[in-house]
Amino acid sequence: TTVNDITAQPEQDYPVLDTGEEDAEEILKAAADAYYDGGLKHISASSVWPNLDDYFIIDLRSATYYNAGHIPGAFQVNMADLGYDEMLKYLPTDKPILVNCYTAHTSNHVVSILNALGYDAYNFLYGINAVTSNTDICKANYSAPATNFPVVTP
């Protein structure tokens, strides 16, 4: 298995933030306030697994762990690259984005940023630990409710 390259995807339009504000800083502040007022957006493996094709999946784990096993259809993305225009332009605005990492802590930060920017993003609850307890894939299992869903492996 090799990394599923997000830049091979067609470029997308950026989301439109309709906050009623004019100034860029005020627009972003209003979007962030609206997101946090609504509560964090998490979703479980059992909720998404039957409909994986309905989501654009980003995997923030290292290429090594991604290549050891990942959610089918997931794109491995280096978090340092995610904030740049060249990476954001590949994210869809017409389907939800599911963000996965090792334990859901890092992905929660990324989901917050993506939602503040106008994307419909969800944090994958418990990260890859919710998918498998195989430590070659998930780095370290911390007793998340693993369901051992099938993952793409070499």
Side-chain angles (χ1 to χ4, degrees), residues 62-147:
S62 72
T64 301
Y65 281 99
Y66 173 93
N67 287 332
H70 58 271
I71 298 169
F75 293 92
Q76 193 272 335
V77 173
N78 180 324
M79 193 169 140
D81 293 339
L82 190 60
Y84 297 106
D85 286 344
E86 59 270 10
M87 192 59 63
L88 290 175
K89 69 184 175 187
Y90 299 107
L91 300 180
T93 57
D94 61 347
K95 71 189 312 187
I97 299 169
L98 177 63
V99 185
N100 176 55
C101 69
Y102 299 101
T103 61
H105 293 96
T106 303
S107 55
N108 195 48
H109 294 285
V110 173
V111 164
S112 297
I113 293 166
L114 291 175
N115 279 295
L117 291 173
Y119 293 95
D120 182 21
Y122 292 83
N123 186 27
F124 195 62
L125 195 59
Y126 302 110
I128 198 71
N129 282 281
V131 176
T132 183
S133 56
N134 180 338
T135 54
D136 291 336
I137 297 171
C138 66
K139 199 173 195 177
N141 186 280
Y142 68 100
S143 300
T147 51

Side-chain angles (χ1 to χ4, degrees), residues 13-19 27 93 117-119:
D13 291 329
Y14 295 110
V16 175
L17 293 173
D18 186 14
T19 64
I27 291 170
T93 57
L117 291 173
Y119 293 95

Side-chain angles (χ1 to χ4, degrees), residues 1-15:
T1 304
T2 57
V3 171
N4 196 1
D5 184 8
I6 195 170
T7 61
Q9 295 296 299
E11 291 186 17
Q12 305 287 326
D13 291 329
Y14 295 110

